[in-house]
Amino acid sequence: QVQLVESGGGLVRAGDSLRLSCAASGRAFTMYAMALGWFRQAPGKEREFVAAIGLSGGNTIYADSVRGRFTISRDSAKNTAFLQMNVLKPEDTAVYYCAVDRTTVVRAIADQYDYWGQGTQVTVSS
């Protein structure tokens, strides 16, 4: 059984920063050789891709809406992923989910990810 637990969400003002964390656990589970992704879902909207990172950490992709403001990173030794979010905007308000893809392919398609966390709420006020 694999568990992903997100943390770090909260209520902030526009222009503020937040750092989300995603901790993975499970019997004999390691995210070392897996791609990681962050997605988000706002009320009444479909889940959308935010960012993804590959094995080495040097291969990253971002949604256009967050590029230059958000940074994805990972500490594979600690089975943890991060999403640094700067210059937050009200339109960033959503539940943020981390996900793990058992392959090493970095991609933006939610259906390709195998494990998901329960999400953490991020609310940005104007």
Side-chain angles (χ1 to χ4, degrees):
Q1 186 76 11
V2 174
Q3 285 190 321
L4 300 176
V5 179
E6 302 93 338
S7 61
L11 172 62
V12 297
R13 294 182 177 181
D16 286 349
S17 298
L18 279 175
R19 188 190 195 208
L20 304 184
S21 298
C22 172
S25 63
R27 183 179 179 184
F29 173 77
T30 174
M31 65 166 62
Y32 177 78
M34 302 180 186
L36 306 171
W38 285 95
F39 293 78
R40 66 187 183 186
Q41 187 167 19
K45 296 187 177 181
E46 294 188 354
R47 188 171 297 188
E48 65 173 358
F49 170 75
V50 175
I53 187 168
L55 170 63
S56 67
N59 184 13
T60 57
I61 57 174
Y62 295 92
D64 289 342
S65 59
V66 306
R67 186 177 292 110
R69 299 188 298 122
F70 290 12
T71 302
I72 187 172
S73 61
R74 64 190 293 167
D75 184 342
S76 295
K78 296 182 178 179
N79 270 354
T80 304
F82 306 96
L83 185 68
Q84 178 67 42
M85 306 186 296
N86 297 328
V87 195
L88 282 161
K89 304 176 181 180
E91 50 263 43
D92 294 319
T93 295
V95 177
Y96 283 71
Y97 301 88
C98 69
V100 170
D101 182 344
R102 287 180 292 183
T103 73
T104 60
V105 179
V106 179
R107 45 195 168 187
I109 304 171
D111 289 346
Q112 302 298 320
Y113 285 78
D114 301 291
Y115 306 111
W116 290 82
Q118 293 301 307
T120 185
Q121 176 70 47
V122 172
T123 303
V124 184
S125 64
S126 57

